[in-house]
Each structure stands twice: as C-alpha cells, then as structure tokens.
Amino acid sequence: MKFSYYPGCTLHSTAAEYDLSARAVCKTLGIELVDVPGWACCGATSAHSVNELLAYALPAHTITSATENAVVAPCAACYNRLRYTDVRLREDAHLRGEVESAMGRPYRAGVAVRHLLDVIANDVPEEEVKTKLQGTLGGVKVVCYYGCLLTRPKDVAAFDDMEEPRTMDRLMELCGADVLDWPHRVVCCGAAFSLSRTDVVYHMTGKLIASALRAGADAVVVACPMCQSNLDLRQPAIVKRLGIKERLPAVYFTQLMGMCMGYSSEELGFKKIMVDTSALIKKIKTGRAEAPAAAEG
Amino acid sequence: MEKQLGHPLSQCYQCGKCSAGCPAAYTMAEPPNRIIRFLQLGLYDRALSQNSYWVCSSCEMCTARCPRNVEIKEIMEVLRHDAFRRGITSGEAPVPAFHKAFLKTVEWFGRLYEPGLVLLNNLLSGRFFKDFTAAPGMFFKGKLKLFPGRGADNAAVRRIFKYSREEAPRGEV
Ligand code: SF4
Ligand code: SF4
C-alpha cells in the first residue's frame, strides 16, 4: 500500500510526536508514505474565514502536487480542508477554473483524500493488525475524541458516523484498551481560537476534560493535532480554572498503537506531551503484566 | 436575501436545534437560530453587527443537526467574509487579527511557523506578551523550532496569495 503523505504544518512542529508515531505504525502495517513534494499549508480556519478562493487554492496546490493516487492526512483539519476542496472543485467548474488560474496549472482531480485513521482502520484488515501486536494496552481506560472536522460535514467526511463515530474506539479495543463511553466525542474543542479568544478554548476544551475525567478515563485519545494542542497545552490553565486536581494526558491513537507494536515511548514521542504521561505508561505496563492475554479478547 | 447569501433560508422553522448544539452560542450576542431569523426578515446589517459569526468555530454541528437542511455554518462564513472585507469586527477585533497574522506567516513561509505567528498575532492584536509563558516549555520539549522550516513550494504559494488577493472579489487577505 502506497500513499502520498501530507503531514501538514503542525506535524512538522508542535505535533512532532504524531508524525513520529504515524510513520512508525504505518511502517509496521506495511503502509508506505511518500511525502507530497513542496506541500504548503492548507490555510486552515483562517483562509476559509476570510477568502474563499484562497481557501480552495491552497489545498488544491497540495493535492495537485501529490505523486500517488491517494493522499493521506493525519490532521483532521487538513483532511477536512483538502476533502472539502476536492468535492467543491469537482462539482463547480467555474470555481475550478478560478483555482486553476490562481495556481497557474490544472487541478489534479481524482486523487482520493483520506484521513490516516480511515486508512489504518479500514485498509488494513483487523486480523492483520492483530498479527502485528506484540503487547496490549493492558486494559487502560480511554475515551476517544473525534472532534468536529473528522466526521463532518457528512457529504464530505464520509468514513464514520457524524454523531456516534466508532473507528478509533474499535482500534483501541483491538489494542486491549478499556474504551469508555462519553457524551463529548464529537463536540468541538474551540480549535482555531487558541490564540485569539483563548477563553473560548478554555470553555469548550474545559467541558471535554471534565467530561472525560467524569467518565473515569486515564487518557483521551485523539486523531487531530489541534485537538491535542488544546487539550494538552491549555490543560494547566483549564484545570486551574475548574479546580480539578487530576491530569488527563491527550495522546494520539498512533502513539498507543505503536506501544503495542514494540516501539519505545521515546520513539513514539511521549516525552513531547506537556501533561505528564509516565503514570499512563506505567499503568499500561502493569496492566499488560497482569493480563497478558487481553489482546485475544 | 437568499440570493445575496447564496444559501436558502426560508425552510428554517426556528426549532433552535442549531443553537442548542452550538458550542460557541454561550458567548454569542445572538445564537445561530436568531441570526438565521434576522436574515429571514431581511435584517442583514443587524446580523452583521453581532459577534456571532466571529466566535463561530466552524465546527459544523449546526449544519449537521438541522432538520431542515439549513446551511448555518456556511451562512456564518458568508457574513464573516463580508465583515472581514469591510473591516467590521463587532467587538471581536483579535479574531480577524489572528486570521490575518496566520495567513501572513503562511504567505511568507509557505507553511505555518508558530513562533512567527505568535509574535505577529500579538503585534496585530496589540497584546504583546500573550502566550509567551507557554513557549519555554514547548521549546524544551522540541515542539518549537527556532527557524521556520523549509520545503514548501514558496513560489506557488505566493502566486496563489497574489491572485486570490487581486482577483477574488469575495475577500481580502
Ligand atoms: S436547526 Fe435549522 S430549522 Fe432549526 S432553528 Fe436552526 S436553522 Fe432553523
Ligand atoms: S459551526 Fe459555528 S454556529 Fe454552527 S454549531 Fe459550530 S460554532 Fe456554532
């Protein structure tokens, strides 16, 4: 399996641990990733907030630069922007013309835009994933957080249910985690307001952290660097405001999968997470020692 | 009004489901369903003078749940483009300032460069020392780079920005 890989801006900086763990897990699963040459920022919320043409032309540049027939994005926001662009450019010839003028070259239609979670969960048969697991997550309690852009809107992001997505839950169960139910799996974290209306992030992400802790989670599992950064980087300020003593590590699903594939926590960038993850890692290891057969169930 | 917005409005029966699920409604002067109502009544300027579309996070919850298929998030976006072009901030000046700073760093480097973004954002929004406290920790965790990364096709990105700025009647950057 060969894919064009579009890491996106954050995986090259603040979310380096997502990049590390994504590449590691893909390597083990036989998914070959080839970086899109010359890829640019997708424009994120800012471009589509202020200039429609820019919001389509930036993702179109990256799609057109892809060398394979499918491009995989690990960031939910990039995925959403690329996919939205592809859908719109295929149905609106006039817009496509404008975008092509902006790029100065024809748009490459027909490149499938996929999210990394979709590829790992749906292109690799479950049985095959199982054969790659050397250890389990030891029954550690997790909640899976999908956020807003991974599953919405429904005619654009189409690999899971909009209100009750389960793709990540399924993978985590396969790895031997105790996946808890919680009501906030698709509620927005406040994403783009991190630097402008930080209080909005405190409010929205605060609800998520409180809800995950109420459910009894040891960690919240994510598939988006923006969600992770709001949950992790802003957590000290949030728990202080809420008067919460516990801490909740926000980790990437690829980091937890990688732990079951024999990679060390250093190789998976656990140390790059701001909230201390040592208790979580310890819990996984003791759980594993106590119930080594959990992977079978 | 529907024509001006490019999205139908009349089918909205004001059930309020959009506002009930909206994570930002708590900080909006008027919640999403009221914005739709203003527009139904032709009160465009009244809609534009609220902060609602600036604090909307584009999370799509409203559009996803509307029983009448009103494209609420998309309508918020139309308002935002217009407000940005006309310099209307509705009391939320830091939000458009952030978008401007974000896009400037992308135009310069082809990709996002966080330290540059934080600096420029603080300059444009007039809040000079915001978010500096988190930086040292992030730096030591290897999350912040001292220099912007390379590898983006800068010429292509600048061309796209130039064209979008000059040719697009819909918004400015
Ligand atoms: S959910 Fe739809 S029908 Fe109900 S108030 Fe909102 S826009 Fe109108
Ligand atoms: S897209 Fe905007 S208006 Fe709609 S639910 Fe999300 S924050 Fe609210």
Side-chain angles (χ1 to χ4, degrees), chain A residues 32 109 291:
Chain A
E32 194 184 334

Side-chain angles (χ1 to χ4, degrees), chain B residues 32-45:
Chain B
N33 72 304
R34 295 262 298 168
I35 297 294
I36 300 295
R37 189 71 187 129
F38 289 154
L39 295 172
Q40 277 182 332
L41 296 171
L43 303 171
Y44 183 80
D45 289 342

Side-chain angles (χ1 to χ4, degrees), chain A residues 159-238:
Chain A
F159 75 89
D160 205 341
D161 189 82
M162 233 174 10
E163 295 280 354
E164 289 288 328
R166 285 285 182 272
T167 310
M168 222 187 314
D169 296 54
R170 190 156 60 71
L171 280 180
M172 288 301 110
E173 266 160 23
L174 199 66
C175 292
D178 181 1
V179 182
L180 308 169
D181 201 11
W182 71 314
H184 285 85
R185 59 182 67 226
V186 295
V187 181
C188 178
C189 69
F193 291 117
S194 187
L195 291 178
S196 54
R197 281 281 310 264
T198 315
D199 62 303
V200 170
V201 171
Y202 290 162
H203 179 93
M204 292 191 193
T205 303
K207 283 192 172 177
L208 305 177
I209 292 174
S211 168
L213 287 172
R214 220 178 299 128
D218 297 317
V220 50
V221 191
V222 299
C224 171
M226 298 221 288
C227 301
Q228 201 278 342
S229 131
N230 279 340
L231 283 160
D232 186 38
L233 201 59
R234 299 295 182 187
Q235 194 169 134
I238 290 170

Side-chain angles (χ1 to χ4, degrees), chain B residues 71-111:
Chain B
E71 291 166 323
I72 308 128
K73 175 240 164 191
E74 288 71 14
I75 292 170
M76 290 285 190
E77 216 131 80
V78 174
L79 293 172
R80 211 179 300 146
H81 292 160
D82 194 25
F84 191 82
R85 190 170 51 232
R86 291 158 59 178
I88 299 169
T89 58
S90 302
E92 299 287 349
V95 180
F98 166 78
H99 293 317
K100 218 178 242 176
F102 184 99
L103 294 173
K104 267 287 166 240
T105 56
V106 173
E107 185 173 4
W108 287 338
F109 306 117
R111 295 174 187 169

Side-chain angles (χ1 to χ4, degrees), chain A residues 43-55, chain B residues 54 77 80-85 95-100 103 161 164 168-173:
Chain A
T45 311
S46 293
H48 78 82
S49 280
V50 302
N51 184 310
E52 206 187 354
L53 182 57
L54 190 62
Chain B
W54 280 129
E77 216 131 80
R80 211 179 300 146
H81 292 160
D82 194 25
F84 191 82
R85 190 170 51 232
V95 180
F98 166 78
H99 293 317
K100 218 178 242 176
L103 294 173
F161 266 90
S164 302
R170 301 194 189 98
E172 310 238 331
V173 195

